[in-house]
Amino acid sequence: GTFDVSILELYGSIMEVHAIAGDNFIGGEDFTALLCSMFFEHTQIAPESLDLRTLHEVIKTAEACKCAFSDQHEITMSCTIHNQSYKMHLTLEEYEDACAPLLEKLRRPIERSLRDAHLGLSDIDQIVLVGGATRLPIVQRFVERLFNRTPEKLVDPDYAVVLGAAIQCGMKERQKEIQEII
């Protein structure tokens, strides 16, 4: 995954891009990988000692646990490795503390895009979170604390990605229905 920030200004059907910044080396998978690392540290299992299938199952379980934090404040990550059951209980607060370095990496593109657009945090009218990782409560809270307000939740984060791609395709094909969008 990637993390991108776009500062846009909308006038009717005209959208002007003021700045774009991003980090191609951070995304939702980094939050999953951190959860895997926490699990391996907690259980004292060396990931390199696992076969690919077992490692994939741990990653899959970590992804499910990460997603569970969207509506739960506590999770139990449970995996069977070499016929033995391993568990790690984790609260959202503990996970958020562990994610602090990742969240700090999110701050840089936000600050860079604001600087490039010659704007401050208070100049932004609306914050729209797009993409799967923005479903994470820790990402939402980070943005909320940074901008000192709640991001808009009118658009489904995954649907927004699909809709944007569809509009872009329509524009490239010069479809009549999309011609009024600039």
Side-chain angles (χ1 to χ4, degrees):
T2 65
F3 177 72
D4 299 298
V5 178
S6 300
I7 298 180
L8 309 170
E9 190 166 356
L10 181 64
Y11 329 81
S13 64
I14 299 173
M15 190 171 296
E16 182 180 346
V17 178
H18 286 279
I20 297 174
D23 185 336
N24 293 335
F25 300 102
I26 186 165
E29 290 181 15
D30 294 290
F31 291 89
T32 303
L34 176 65
L35 200 49
C36 286
S37 295
M38 293 172 75
F39 179 77
F40 289 134
E41 186 177 322
H42 177 78
T43 59
Q44 297 181 343
I45 295 172
E48 55 275 358
S49 71
L50 304 178
D51 60 69
L52 286 176
R53 172 178 245 151
T54 305
L55 186 58
H56 177 72
E57 286 301 316
V58 172
I59 293 168
K60 191 169 136 184
T61 303
E63 176 70 22
C65 288
K66 177 187 80 173
C67 293
F69 274 131
S70 294
D71 51 8
Q72 297 175 27
H73 284 39
E74 296 180 5
I75 57 104
T76 299
M77 185 170 166
S78 178
C79 295
T80 301
I81 300 171
H82 305 304
N83 296 323
Q84 186 175 347
S85 182
Y86 294 91
K87 294 182 185 212
M88 175 182 72
H89 181 75
L90 194 64
T91 66
L92 182 58
E93 291 75 24
E94 292 167 331
Y95 182 53
E96 187 170 3
D97 287 345
C99 288
L102 293 175
L103 294 171
E104 192 55 39
K105 284 177 105 176
L106 298 181
R107 179 186 302 273
R108 291 183 209 130
I110 294 170
E111 290 173 344
R112 190 172 342 116
S113 65
L114 288 166
R115 210 173 29 254
D116 291 350
H118 307 291
L119 297 171
L121 290 171
S122 62
D123 295 320
I124 303 298
D125 295 328
Q126 287 185 317
I127 302 150
V128 179
L129 300 177
V130 175
T134 64
R135 291 181 186 276
L136 287 171
I138 58 175
V139 172
Q140 293 171 8
R141 277 203 304 267
F142 170 76
V143 171
E144 202 169 300
R145 283 193 303 265
L146 185 64
F147 284 89
N148 202 23
R149 67 187 130 151
T150 305
E152 297 293 327
K153 298 202 180 191
L154 300 172
V155 179
D156 177 281
D158 294 323
Y159 179 71
V161 172
V162 172
L163 185 59
I167 290 171
Q168 187 65 34
C169 287
M171 290 173 76
K172 285 191 177 288
E173 290 181 352
R174 302 193 189 289
Q175 290 182 358
K176 178 174 83 172
E177 296 86 354
I178 311 274
Q179 286 178 353
E180 291 185 22
I181 297 176
I182 300 173

